[in-house]
């Protein structure tokens, strides 16, 4: 294989991975969706090799699950997964800012771009524009991550943020959202970092994670209520022809009023 062929294949591999990641983040490839290398290769009109490599890259990032016989599947993150993501990010960021001089190097020339990302993310959050919000939010955190002196930690935080959005996107589209649902403290956080105000950084991050965990609690309660309601319906169906006979009266269950959605990560 010539060097140019290797570059072309690697570029194609990245393009396919980026395109599929965007589809997942937009909610167009929902959790549980299954597909094969052949299907994706035909969709993009390319050979199987870069597609297979791209899919394995996304699997390594935790966005896809792979099965030797069934192909690939968009990973379904649970509320417990989401809570663990939030807690992991909180622990890592808190550790970074315990002694930021050793772990974080804030470069003033990089702050202008981050401020723009923050402003756009806040505008999208207040306007309820989820697609725009996800894009700017990920860029905001990725550029902040460039201040972290340990690239492995920066990559880990970026990966967790992407996974959190994969968990959140279809739930937010299902439940709706407004400025009371989404966290939009990006600007306050970046200004605290710019001032070197460690206590305020911690305060903003605590607010950020409190929003995430509060939403996890709400989702967990909703899922528990939904499971209880489904179990009740199954009991009603099972008792319809029970010992009391088909004519026995079964009191109808009151529908559960939907709880307002919580805060996204």
């Amino acid at each position: 294989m010539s060097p140019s062929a290797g570059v072309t294949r690697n570029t194609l591999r990245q393009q396919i991975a980026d395109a599929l990641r965007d589809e997942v983040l937009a909610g167009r490839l929902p959790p549980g969706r299954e597909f094969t290398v052949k299907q994706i290769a035909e969709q993009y009109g390319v050979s199987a090799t870069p597609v297979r490599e791209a899919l394995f890259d996304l699997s390594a990032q935790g966005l896809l699950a792979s099965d030797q016989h069934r192909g690939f599947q968009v990973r379904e993150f649970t509320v417990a997964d989401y809570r663990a993501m939030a807690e992991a990010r909180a622990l890592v960021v808190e550790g970074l800012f315990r002694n930021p001089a050793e772990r974080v190097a804030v470069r003033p020339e990089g702050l202008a771009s981050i401020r723009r990302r923050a402003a756009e993310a806040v505008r999208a959050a207040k306007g309820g524009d989820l697609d725009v919000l996800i894009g700017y939010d990920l860029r905001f955190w990725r550029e902040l991550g460039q201040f972290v002196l340990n690239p492995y930690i920066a990559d880990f935080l970026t990966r967790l943020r992407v996974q959190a959005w994969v968990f959140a996107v279809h739930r937010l589209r299902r439940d709706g959202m407004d400025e009371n649902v989404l966290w939009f403290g990006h600007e306050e956080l970046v200004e605290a970092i710019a001032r070197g105000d460690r206590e305020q950084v911690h305060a903003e991050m605590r607010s950020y994670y409190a929003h995430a965990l509060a939403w996890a609690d709400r989702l967990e309660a909703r899922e528990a209520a939904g499971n209880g309601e489904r179990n009740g319906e199954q009991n009603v169906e099972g008792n319809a022809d029970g010992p009391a006979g088909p004519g026995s009266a079964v009191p109808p269950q009151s529908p559960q009023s939907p709880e307002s959605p919580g805060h996204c990560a």
Side-chain angles (χ1 to χ4, degrees):
M1 180 176 64
S2 67
S4 61
V7 170
T8 301
R9 195 183 79 186
N10 287 338
T11 302
L12 191 56
R13 164 186 183 171
Q14 188 61 52
Q15 289 175 341
I16 294 168
D18 289 345
L20 289 173
R21 187 186 301 106
D22 289 345
E23 291 292 297
V24 173
L25 284 169
R28 290 187 288 271
L29 283 177
R33 172 73 176 272
E34 295 180 352
F35 46 83
T36 63
V37 170
K38 183 174 182 291
Q39 289 171 332
I40 299 299
E42 290 176 351
Q43 177 180 334
Y44 288 100
V46 298
S47 66
T49 299
V51 170
R52 184 179 296 105
E53 292 170 341
L55 294 176
F56 279 122
D57 287 345
L58 294 178
S59 297
Q61 295 169 26
L63 303 186
L64 301 180
S66 61
D67 183 279
Q68 184 177 0
H69 303 291
R70 300 176 64 183
F72 293 82
Q73 183 182 66
V74 179
R75 185 170 172 185
E76 295 190 69
F77 291 106
T78 66
V79 175
D81 291 328
Y82 178 73
R83 184 180 282 110
M85 294 172 201
E87 291 172 349
R89 282 177 60 89
L91 288 171
V92 172
V93 172
E94 183 178 338
L96 287 172
F97 281 93
R98 280 203 188 112
N99 192 349
E102 294 180 1
R103 300 181 176 90
V104 179
V106 178
R107 295 178 293 278
E109 66 274 12
L111 287 171
S113 175
I114 294 174
R115 285 189 174 103
R116 287 195 297 272
R117 308 297 189 201
E120 292 296 340
V122 170
R123 187 176 297 115
K126 290 183 175 180
D129 192 333
L130 188 56
D131 290 330
V132 173
L133 171 60
I134 292 174
Y136 277 109
D137 179 82
L138 289 175
R139 292 187 188 100
F140 172 82
W141 291 105
R142 186 162 51 245
E143 291 184 21
L144 271 186
Q146 292 173 5
F147 293 158
V148 176
L149 296 178
N150 187 321
Y152 294 97
I153 292 177
D155 288 346
F156 174 71
L157 291 172
T158 298
R159 181 176 301 188
L160 283 180
R161 188 61 185 154
V162 172
Q163 291 177 355
W165 274 120
V166 172
F167 167 86
V169 63
H170 71 282
R171 289 172 169 86
L172 292 173
R173 292 197 191 283
R174 176 194 68 195
D175 299 335
M177 59 182 185
D178 56 32
E179 64 181 277
N180 296 316
V181 173
L182 298 170
W183 181 85
F184 47 92
H186 301 70
E187 291 172 305
E188 289 79 4
L189 175 60
V190 71
E191 293 309 321
I193 291 173
R195 293 192 305 270
D197 187 341
R198 186 167 54 183
E199 292 305 314
Q200 189 59 36
V201 169
H202 279 294
E204 295 299 334
M205 293 306 297
R206 282 194 295 269
S207 168
Y208 176 82
Y209 293 115
H211 279 75
L213 295 176
W215 191 45
D217 290 341
R218 287 174 179 261
L219 287 172
E220 204 163 53
R222 172 181 292 184
E223 289 182 5
N227 289 336
E229 193 170 287
R230 282 192 294 273
N231 290 338
E233 291 172 355
Q234 289 172 358
N235 289 337
V236 169
E237 291 172 0
N239 291 334
D241 293 313
S248 60
V250 178
Q253 295 191 346
S254 310
Q256 183 109 12
S257 61
E259 188 178 0
S260 61
H263 298 83
C264 96

